[in-house]
Amino acid sequence: MAAALSRALKLPGKKGSELGEYDPLTQADSEDESEEDDLVLNYPRNGLGRGNCMGTGTSELRGSRTGRLVGDEDEAEEDDDEWRERLPGKKRQEREEKGMQYWSQRETNRDEGVEDGGGLGASGGPGLGVSASADPDGKKAKVRGAIRAAFFLVPLVCAMLVVLLCAFLVPCQHGELDKRPQWEKELGDHVGGVTPPPLALWDVDNDSVEDVLIGVTQKSNNTHLSSSAGNNKEYSVVALSAFSGEVLWRRALREPVESIQCGLQYEAHPSPLPAGGAALRALPNSAIPLSAQRDRASGPVCLLIESAHLTAVNGTTGKKLWSVAPGEIQSQAVSLPDLQGDSVPDLLIATLPADQVSDLSLLLLSGLTGAMLGHPVTFNLTTFNVSGKLIGPLFHETQLGAYYILFGLGTVEAVSLGNIYTRATGKTPISPGLRLKEPGWEKRRKTNSSLIHISSGTEQVEFLVPLVAGLCNNHNSLDSISNLNSSRSDWVLVCGKLSSKLSVLREKDAHTEWTLTSSAIHSRPAPGQFNDDGIPDLLIQKSGAPRMRKVQVVDGASGRSLWETEFICPRLDLEGTSIMTSGQSAFLFWAGDPVRPPKNLTKTTVAPGAVQAMPVIRKLFMLHPAYPTILLELASTTDTILTAAVSYQEPQKDASYITVSSRPTSGLGPGSRVVKSMSLRAAITAGQIVRLGESSTAGVPVRPGVFEINKFFRRLTFKNH
């Protein structure tokens, strides 16, 4: 039966009757065979030999395979002869000879396999008796696979090593910022008392960190210059690197600088200025040399405002771009939308009128060249029977897109920017914003007057602040984006000196949203996000008990108190600061030690010598809404802090607190001016926790754990608004 099955499955081109023995010589001539032959040919490739195609079988059956092969030899030869007759001539003879050599070698190998292994294959089981070591193609395939794997893995490993090298060994541009979290720079003895110096922050060296620009007044060492100028003082502006405090450039001035503003964008100009006579024809009223015009876009532009001169300089080099003398300047410059079509924002400043009759003049200047646009527009503000400090001017854009200028002397008035442009130039405004009018504002205009009275009451206005979180950090900026955000907001109004009224005015109609009466407020309110209603709240510092100072956070939506604590008076009036974190603001302010509960306060303040023994140590505190019952003390000093600002470090998600202080020196000479930069994240790490009483706020945990507090504050990151 086995022999019959063997003959039934026998294929042409096979030397033996065993299944699975493949003849490469005869297979080339059998391409026209049927699919049944292909199936039969592929069947024994699954590892089944004759001895196991029907099962495992007995050892006697497996051992008798050689006998069956001899018994079927005659029938196999007859089939082979019939197949070979189809091969033509010489080609058939060559294939017969090669076939005989091939099958004789296979018979020899099979016999040796039977003697050595009893008919077992390489795996030790029943199957073909060919050793695995007799297959050189398999070894070559393994070698080729190893080579391919090596060619793939070696470049991959090299690439990973390069990435690790760049990530950990190559120094980063800002890598040294963490090594030097703070610096201190002395600018020499200052002449002029403790008047706050002008200070501005802007990235002037293109390192993604805001640098420091400060006005300096010093005693002159040049006797010839002092005698010719009629005094012994030298005035200059110094740019300091936010990275190390080194001097980037210094520019001498003829007068003390009263304000420094940066952010004027010249890069928006559509095309380079022409050269030669073409430039003179293009800009006939230009007040700057051609070389400065061509260099105007090589860096940020800063304005230096003196008492009678306005100078634009390249913020990177300090090189003068243009300078004008518009008269007695009374205010900072206000950035306006482009009025001339040169794609550069124009400027507005307040000056004293030359006629000695009017109270104030508003003057339009070209932001590109400094040339005057028309003539000054004068206003008489004494008709409101209130006189006081100059308020503004400030630019405001309503929700409808109408442009107004807010200003006043002890009051707040509004005038349409289109009205100023028409009166100054005699031309009809082209820009839609200059032609639009806000109906809610125009209803408050008096007959035969261009002024709109905004503030109500007889109290003198002390502060006018846009209700924008973080605005106190960049109110000297001329950046168009910052100005646009602040110009569309509601307004915070502080009136009165001995007692103050804090109000919020709606921008849509200039009506009062709410009013809070309190003791005298000593500095500008600092808007920031204390609660989660989306409306900025206000940090104010006001008078408390004798020799005391109260710090309070007021809800920007309703005027109610959200947080308050009383401190020992630090003997300085310095506005607070708000810095945006993740969704809420952190508030910074200077004060003395916080006052303990009232029962302890009476014991410590009734002594006659208590006031004389009051310390003069000023401390910088951080308040975060997440933990209103604690403060974080970041720094302390005996210096008199004159002004402060926040410089952001976007790559590190950090911020530096910049202070300018007056440090006493030995003798009766003037104090030394000191500029100091402190990393807030580094200060938080070394800060001290100060716990407040339970009465500072309500509805919050009173004593959070120290570990929890430290973990929260050290994970804070700061970002620009």
Side-chain angles (χ1 to χ4, degrees):
M1 181 178 178
L5 181 60
S6 175
R7 286 193 299 271
L9 297 176
K10 182 170 176 57
L11 292 174
K14 299 291 181 178
K15 179 64 180 175
S17 61
E18 184 181 23
L19 296 177
E21 293 182 355
Y22 174 73
D23 186 359
L25 297 177
T26 59
Q27 181 63 24
D29 297 329
S30 61
E31 296 177 356
D32 57 344
E33 292 297 325
S34 62
E35 293 182 1
E36 290 81 357
D37 293 337
D38 293 338
L39 293 175
V40 174
L41 179 63
N42 293 330
Y43 175 72
R45 292 182 185 178
N46 294 330
L48 299 176
R50 169 81 68 171
N52 64 352
C53 64
M54 300 299 293
T56 57
T58 61
S59 61
E60 181 180 359
L61 181 60
R62 291 194 298 269
S64 63
R65 180 174 57 184
T66 305
R68 291 197 306 274
L69 292 174
V70 174
D72 296 337
E73 185 177 359
D74 295 336
E75 296 179 2
E77 289 179 355
E78 292 177 1
D79 294 336
D80 291 342
D81 293 340
E82 181 179 357
W83 177 260
R84 289 173 183 139
E85 289 177 356
R86 301 179 183 178
L87 297 176
K90 183 178 179 179
K91 183 177 181 180
R92 183 179 62 186
Q93 295 177 0
E94 291 176 356
R95 294 187 178 181
E96 286 179 346
E97 293 176 359
K98 293 180 180 179
M100 293 177 64
Q101 295 176 1
Y102 175 80
W103 288 114
S104 62
Q105 183 179 359
R106 290 292 299 268
E107 287 290 338
T108 303
N109 292 337
R110 185 167 58 248
D111 294 339
E112 292 176 356
V114 172
E115 293 177 0
D116 296 339
L120 297 177
S123 61
L128 298 176
V130 181
S131 175
S133 63
D135 187 6
D137 294 337
K139 293 183 178 180
K140 293 180 180 180
K142 292 181 180 179
V143 173
R144 287 194 298 269
I147 294 175
R148 293 192 189 100
F151 273 104
F152 172 75
L153 293 176
V154 170
L156 182 61
V157 172
C158 293
M160 294 178 62
L161 290 177
V162 171
V163 172
L164 294 176
L165 181 67
C166 295
F168 296 101
L169 298 182
V170 177
C172 180
Q173 179 182 2
H174 305 284
E176 296 186 5
L177 288 175
D178 295 333
K179 301 178 184 178
R180 306 173 72 177
Q182 65 181 19
W183 52 263
E184 187 175 289
K185 182 75 173 181
E186 286 196 22
L187 299 179
D189 294 340
H190 177 76
V191 180
V194 292
T195 303
L199 177 69
L201 301 178
W202 198 261
D203 180 16
V204 298
D205 55 0
N206 299 321
D207 60 355
S208 301
V209 181
E210 294 175 319
D211 303 297
V212 182
L213 290 88
I214 182 174
V216 179
T217 302
Q218 294 175 302
K219 185 177 180 180
S220 175
N221 297 323
N222 191 331
T223 57
H224 175 73
L225 180 63
S226 301
S227 59
S228 61
N231 56 47
N232 60 346
K233 300 178 182 179
E234 290 183 353
Y235 310 107
S236 62
V237 172
V238 180
L240 303 177
S241 170
F243 169 66
S244 60
E246 64 177 340
V247 177
L248 299 176
W249 53 263
R250 181 190 294 265
R251 180 171 183 82
L253 301 174
R254 70 192 79 180
E255 301 170 349
V257 62
E258 297 182 357
S259 178
I260 304 174
Q261 296 175 269
C262 294
L264 189 62
Q265 302 296 326
Y266 279 4
E267 292 81 0
H269 197 272
S271 61
L273 287 177
L280 295 176
R281 292 189 297 270
L283 297 170
N285 297 325
S286 176
I288 60 177
L290 296 179
S291 59
Q293 292 182 21
R294 296 190 185 101
D295 294 338
R296 73 194 184 281
S298 59
V301 179
C302 296
L303 298 181
L304 311 180
I305 301 178
E306 305 167 61
S307 60
H309 293 84
L310 176 63
T311 304
V313 300
N314 186 307
T316 302
T317 62
K319 182 179 179 180
K320 183 176 73 172
L321 300 179
W322 51 261
S323 180
V324 294
E328 296 186 44
I329 303 176
Q330 300 294 308
S331 70
Q332 292 185 337
V334 180
S335 178
L336 303 176
D338 179 25
L339 303 178
Q340 305 179 91
D342 56 6
S343 300
V344 177
D346 294 308
L347 304 173
L348 180 144
I349 58 174
T351 62
L352 288 180
D355 57 12
Q356 302 296 325
V357 176
S358 302
D359 297 321
L360 198 67
S361 296
L362 297 182
L363 181 62
L364 298 177
L365 299 175
S366 169
L368 180 64
T369 65
M372 185 183 302
L373 304 182
H375 56 81
V377 180
T378 59
F379 295 91
N380 191 353
L381 304 176
T382 58
T383 56
F384 297 101
N385 299 322
V386 178
S387 61
K389 61 183 292 187
L390 176 64
I391 302 300
L394 298 172
F395 174 73
H396 180 78
E397 180 181 359
T398 66
Q399 295 296 332
L400 293 179
Y403 298 155
Y404 287 88
I405 300 298
L406 304 180
F407 70 108
L409 292 176
T411 62
V412 179
E413 317 298 331
V415 61
S416 170
L417 181 58
N419 180 275
I420 298 175
Y421 180 81
T422 301
R423 292 172 59 183
T425 64
K427 301 178 182 179
T428 302
I430 301 176
S431 173
L434 298 179
R435 298 195 303 265
L436 288 177
K437 305 294 182 181
E438 181 68 37
W441 288 45
E442 295 297 328
K443 292 179 181 179
R444 304 173 69 94
R445 183 193 305 273
K446 291 188 177 182
T447 307
N448 299 326
S449 174
S450 60
L451 295 177
I452 302 173
H453 190 55
I454 300 298
S455 61
S456 59
T458 58
E459 297 89 351
Q460 178 178 326
V461 177
E462 296 292 331
F463 303 105
L464 178 65
V465 182
L467 189 60
V468 178
L471 181 71
C472 52
N473 301 329
N474 59 1
H475 57 268
N476 289 342
S477 174
L478 293 173
D479 179 43
S480 58
I481 297 179
S482 300
N483 292 331
L484 183 62
N485 293 337
S486 62
S487 67
R488 294 178 176 175
S489 67
D490 293 340
W491 296 87
V492 179
L493 199 66
V494 178
C495 302
K497 286 187 175 181
L498 299 179
S499 62
S500 298
K501 288 185 177 181
L502 180 67
S503 306
V504 168
L505 304 180
R506 297 195 302 259
E507 69 86 22
K508 62 181 180 180
D509 54 10
H511 286 159
T512 302
E513 184 73 21
W514 54 262
T515 300
L516 174 66
T517 301
S518 69
S519 56
I521 297 177
H522 298 279
S523 59
R524 284 167 44 110
Q529 298 288 349
F530 192 87
N531 53 20
D532 55 357
D533 61 359
I535 300 176
D537 307 302
L538 300 171
L539 175 75
I540 59 175
Q541 303 178 61
K542 58 184 182 179
S543 299
R547 309 294 182 180
M548 297 296 164
R549 176 73 54 82
K550 179 174 288 188
V551 180
Q552 185 178 16
V553 178
V554 178
D555 187 4
S558 62
R560 65 185 180 90
S561 177
L562 299 176
W563 180 93
E564 63 179 29
T565 296
E566 201 166 20
F567 298 84
I568 296 176
C569 182
R571 297 182 183 177
L572 56 84
D573 294 332
L574 188 66
E575 65 185 77
T577 303
S578 68
I579 311 173
M580 183 61 70
T581 60
S582 55
Q584 292 178 304
S585 299
F587 295 87
L588 302 177
F589 59 91
W590 288 90
D593 290 324
V595 176
R596 300 304 175 186
K599 60 181 181 180
N600 297 331
L601 180 63
T602 56
K603 296 180 181 179
T604 58
T605 56
V606 293
V611 174
Q612 300 295 332
M614 185 174 60
V616 293
I617 298 179
R618 288 99 179 184
K619 298 182 178 182
L620 177 62
F621 292 104
M622 172 180 283
L623 167 66
H624 197 279
Y627 292 95
T629 59
I630 64 103
L631 294 174
L632 200 62
E633 182 183 331
L634 302 182
S636 61
T637 182
T638 57
D639 297 344
T640 301
I641 309 299
L642 303 177
T643 185
V646 174
S647 171
Y648 289 95
Q649 302 170 6
E650 294 293 345
Q652 289 77 27
K653 296 182 179 180
D654 194 5
S656 294
Y657 191 72
I658 310 293
T659 59
V660 182
S661 59
S662 177
R663 180 171 296 174
T665 57
S666 59
L668 300 177
S672 176
R673 282 287 164 89
V674 179
V675 183
K676 186 175 182 180
S677 174
M678 176 181 61
S679 168
L680 287 182
R681 298 189 69 178
I684 288 174
T685 302
Q688 298 181 6
I689 297 175
V690 178
R691 297 187 181 273
L692 304 175
E694 300 181 14
S695 60
S696 61
T697 188
V700 296
V702 176
R703 294 190 62 83
V706 175
F707 176 79
E708 178 186 355
I709 296 173
N710 289 332
K711 181 180 178 181
F712 173 81
F713 278 99
R714 292 179 182 181
R715 295 177 62 182
L716 283 180
T717 58
F718 306 102
K719 59 182 180 179
N720 203 346
H721 296 271

